């Protein structure tokens, strides 16, 4: 079938390209999409076969489940067991943006993201192309577009260099990550764990990324454990 690179900056190309991207997702394929932090490799979050294929593309096992991207904070209520007050404040003030929150997953959601221990990591990205696609596709399992152990991709060419024709659809939005140019290295989103907060436990910092965890703490309040 070959590799399709879609120029999302061209309205005409993106109108057709969005349909092509959605078709690939609907067929259980992984595609490359832009986010505000790095490029991501994305698939249907509710297809176990698609998620396993995504992990295989990256060279990962099920012990490293992908996060889920959503188009709005309202989507979260359908995916998680409970949203602590601090997490709700975080979503209101820092989403869309570079913070991923780990919640207890809702028991009635039919998906298999890997060995999650009943949790799910969720983020609303601050990128218009990603949000446009997510509004049409629904929640997507998305991991950074890189082979395990390699650098995350900040351009579509870097993603192409790593995945080549193993991925059939690439959505090009130019260089990404510029909103976090002062962040050290190329770390992706900051990941915080809220799974114990509702029962009185602390927040935990899982990964320091583009947003300082102290800024997250200032919004959420509560006890924190690094």
């Amino acid at each position: 079938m070959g590799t399709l690179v879609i120029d999302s900056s061209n309205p005409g190309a993106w109108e057709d390209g969005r349909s092509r991207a959605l078709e690939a997702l609907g067929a259980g394929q992984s595609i490359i999409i832009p986010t505000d932090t790095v490029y991501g490799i994305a698939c249907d979050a509710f297809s176990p076969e698609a998620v396993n294929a995504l992990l295989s593309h990256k060279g990962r096992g099920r012990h490293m489940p992908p996060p889920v991207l959503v188009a709005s904070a309202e989507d979260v209520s359908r995916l998680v067991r409970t949203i602590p007050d601090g997490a709700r404040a975080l979503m209101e003030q820092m989403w869309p943006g570079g913070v991923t929150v780990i919640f207890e997953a809702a028991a009635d959601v039919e998906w298999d993201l890997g060995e999650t221990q009943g949790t799910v990591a969720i983020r609303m990205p601050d990128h218009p192309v990603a949000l446009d696609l997510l509004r049409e596709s629904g929640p997507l399992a998305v991991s950074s577009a890189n082979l395990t152990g390699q650098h995350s991709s900040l351009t579509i060419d870097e993603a192409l260099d790593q995945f080549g024709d193993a991925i059939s659809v690439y959505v090009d939005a130019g260089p990404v990550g510029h909103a976090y140019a002062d962040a050290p290295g190329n770390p992706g989103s900051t990941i915080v764990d809220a799974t114990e907060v509702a029962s009185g436990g602390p927040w935990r910092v899982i990964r320091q990324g583009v947003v300082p965890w102290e800024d997250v703490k200032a919004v959420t309040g509560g006890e924190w454990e690094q």
Side-chain angles (χ1 to χ4, degrees):
M1 182 174 64
T3 295
L4 173 66
V5 179
I6 301 164
D7 179 6
S8 65
S9 68
N10 181 318
W14 178 230
E15 188 66 28
D16 177 64
R18 185 197 301 109
S19 297
R20 297 286 295 276
L22 290 168
E23 287 174 7
L25 290 168
Q29 298 175 23
S30 297
I31 68 172
I32 303 297
I33 66 170
T35 79
D36 50 323
T37 55
V38 298
Y39 273 86
I41 178 170
C43 74
D44 179 0
F46 303 101
S47 168
E49 295 81 10
V51 172
N52 284 334
L54 181 154
L55 294 172
S56 179
H57 283 308
K58 282 184 62 86
R60 282 188 172 180
R62 286 172 50 81
H63 65 289
M64 300 182 73
V68 171
L69 295 190
V70 296
S72 70
E74 288 72 26
D75 290 337
V76 179
S77 62
R78 296 188 288 273
L79 302 176
V80 307
R81 186 182 301 275
T82 185
I83 303 175
D85 289 342
R88 198 174 298 278
L90 186 155
M91 292 188 293
E92 290 173 353
Q93 297 185 43
M94 304 193 82
W95 279 9
V99 180
T100 298
V101 185
I102 302 175
F103 297 92
E104 288 186 88
D108 59 349
V109 177
E110 295 184 2
W111 58 9
D112 181 2
L113 298 170
E115 297 172 10
T116 64
Q117 311 303 317
T119 68
V120 59
I122 303 181
R123 184 168 84 91
M124 180 182 175
D126 191 11
H127 196 288
V129 173
L131 292 173
D132 186 25
L133 187 63
L134 284 160
R135 282 190 286 268
E136 296 291 331
S137 67
L140 295 175
V142 183
S143 185
S144 57
N146 60 279
L147 302 176
T148 297
Q150 301 300 311
H151 288 294
S152 301
S153 300
L154 295 177
T155 68
I156 205 69
D157 285 339
E158 290 175 353
L160 277 161
D161 285 345
Q162 296 199 55
F163 292 103
D165 59 9
I167 303 295
S168 62
V169 176
Y170 290 75
V171 180
D172 185 4
V176 299
H178 42 79
Y180 307 105
D182 294 335
N186 185 9
S189 66
T190 295
I191 304 175
V192 296
D193 185 345
T195 56
E196 296 184 13
V197 174
S199 60
W203 287 83
R204 290 187 171 86
V205 181
I206 303 303
R207 181 178 74 189
Q208 175 61 71
V210 295
V211 177
W213 76 270
E214 295 90 348
D215 291 357
V216 181
K217 179 181 179 181
V219 171
T220 64
E223 296 297 319
W224 279 76
E225 179 181 295
Q226 278 188 278

